[in-house]
Amino acid sequence: MSRAGIVTTDVHADASAGRRHLPASPFLAAARGERPTHRPVWFMRQAGRSLPEYREVRKGTGMLEACLTPDLACEITLQPVRRYGVDAAILFSDIVVPLRAAGVGVDIVAGTGPVVEHPVRTAADVAALPALDGAGVAPVAEAVRLLVRELGETPLIGFAGAPFTLASYLVEGGPSRNHERTKALMHAEPETWHALCSVLADTTLTFLRAQVEAGVDAVQLFDSWAGALSERDYRELVLPHSTRVLAGLADAGVPRIHFGVGTGELLGAMGEAGADVVGVDWRIPLDVAATRVAPGTALQGNLDPALLFAGEDVVAREVRRILAEGEAAAGHVFNLGHGVLPETDPDALARVVDLVHATALP
């Protein structure tokens, strides 16, 4: 793979699964705990606001509209693959896309984030939630099919938000610092809470299965707000629903990644949800994280995205440290500990890719 273009050699269609066969992919090898030819690297939010080509192509188009416009979502997904030569593409999407696709009144407001028209706070609200069907997810599936044709030997990662994070947006009505309404509902009305998360697990699974059937090579279940919970609350009120989503993909034949922000103390529990790869944010070293997940679990992470502003020497030192610590895991996919920040210099990311690829495996 080179930045000059997307290589299309040594790619075979897997007719039985409707998916490409990518035997040379370092990303897929590391995700499965096998030895890759080099350490793979990709970045959460690698497609988006940090790229001038993204800002150009998104002019006049809302975020959710862009996610649900197949040719535009395809182009945006491809941009960082062309620019950086990363080892995987991730479908351009947003956590609330399946809600919007199902017919929930939600939009992304500049400077705020997702805003829900009618928050969900009662059993009646839960019962009124629409189900996601094939028609709703069709634009996303079409974007995946377009990407599979364009990506050559570069794997494509599907994406969805986990039930807890979706539930938090719905209950709070938007982003929340303290998740007070969410936690109140979890503890005061656990039956309503579990009913809500059950609906959202169905929605998430439908969303991810459609991506798998359209041809993605891996999936990532992203739980943005799980780090706000105690381990006890996570295990009792969240883990069963994330487990159901990941279990529903067990027969899909693709690696499953599970990531949350601020979840260092939850890594053991999150690893039990059934993922093949557990994403780690920047708060704990990877060699420590490896002791908190089950043996054989690959790790993804975990450069602090803010350090990309610290200069080349600092970034190079931190990348080498993380590569060394990642050796403790069954497999390691280099990534940031969260998404690329909007003001990040794309050249800084390009240098990270070059350094990771140039560092020999032991």
Side-chain angles (χ1 to χ4, degrees), residues 8-356:
T8 57
T9 57
D10 300 323
V11 181
H12 309 285
D14 183 345
S16 62
R19 187 176 303 108
R20 299 171 297 162
H21 180 50
L22 304 174
S25 166
F27 165 75
L28 292 176
R32 291 172 174 145
E34 303 165 0
R35 184 176 175 83
T37 53
H38 63 257
R39 192 76 59 95
V41 52
W42 70 277
F43 305 110
M44 288 181 283
R45 292 186 190 153
Q46 62 189 13
R49 293 170 292 178
S50 66
L51 295 181
E53 55 265 42
Y54 168 82
R55 294 192 293 271
E56 180 64 28
V57 79
R58 261 279 320 272
K59 282 182 179 177
T61 305
M63 175 66 178
L64 295 182
E65 181 184 353
C67 294
L68 293 167
T69 303
D71 58 345
L72 184 54
C74 175
E75 168 59 23
I76 293 170
T77 302
L78 290 170
Q79 288 175 347
V81 181
R82 298 190 192 110
R83 178 183 276 265
Y84 302 128
V86 286
D87 295 288
I90 185 163
L91 178 67
F92 178 70
S93 189
D94 186 86
I95 282 173
V96 299
V97 164
L99 298 179
R100 175 70 165 264
V104 175
V106 60
D107 202 0
I108 296 178
V109 177
T112 300
V115 175
V116 178
E117 185 177 358
H118 299 294
V120 175
R121 294 172 184 166
T122 68
D125 293 334
V126 173
L129 282 172
L132 180 62
D133 58 20
V137 80
V140 174
E142 178 58 21
V144 170
R145 286 189 286 269
L146 291 174
L147 281 160
V148 167
R149 292 197 290 269
E150 295 289 336
L151 278 168
E153 64 182 14
T154 303
L156 175 63
I157 304 169
F159 171 85
F164 171 74
T165 290
L166 288 174
S168 180
Y169 280 123
L170 286 175
V171 174
E172 301 291 340
S176 173
R177 182 181 297 273
N178 298 310
H179 309 278
E180 56 267 36
R181 292 185 178 91
T182 303
K183 292 181 178 182
L185 181 65
M186 294 168 78
H187 289 274
E189 299 183 48
E191 290 186 4
T192 300
W193 171 258
H194 282 296
L196 172 58
C197 286
S198 181
V199 170
L200 295 174
D202 288 341
T203 296
T204 301
L205 188 52
T206 296
F207 192 56
L208 287 173
R209 290 293 306 194
Q211 294 175 49
V212 168
E213 290 165 8
V216 299
D217 306 289
V219 294
Q220 176 161 286
L221 187 66
F222 195 104
D223 214 347
S224 303
W225 307 125
L229 301 173
S230 68
E231 183 179 359
R232 179 186 60 198
D233 287 351
Y234 179 85
R235 286 186 175 278
E236 179 182 349
L237 297 162
V238 175
L239 179 59
H241 304 288
S242 293
T243 299
R244 187 154 73 86
V245 173
L246 292 168
L249 298 165
D251 64 348
V254 301
R256 297 159 294 170
I257 308 167
H258 196 18
F259 174 75
V261 184
T263 53
E265 297 305 316
L266 303 180
L267 287 178
M270 291 184 71
E272 294 171 18
D276 306 289
V277 184
V278 173
V280 183
D281 75 8
W282 66 92
R283 292 172 175 86
I284 66 168
L286 289 178
D287 51 357
V288 175
T291 68
R292 299 185 181 186
V293 298
T297 304
L299 297 180
Q300 178 177 280
N302 67 341
L303 179 68
D304 185 342
L307 292 184
L308 292 167
F309 296 81
E312 293 183 43
D313 291 344
V314 171
V315 172
R317 181 190 70 209
E318 291 300 299
V319 167
R320 292 189 180 99
R321 175 185 63 79
I322 291 163
L323 290 173
E325 291 168 354
E327 289 299 321
H332 176 215
V333 177
F334 191 95
N335 208 308
L336 303 181
H338 197 197
V340 175
L341 298 171
E343 301 305 318
T344 303
D345 179 1
D347 288 343
L349 291 170
R351 287 191 291 269
V352 170
V353 173
D354 289 344
L355 179 55
V356 172

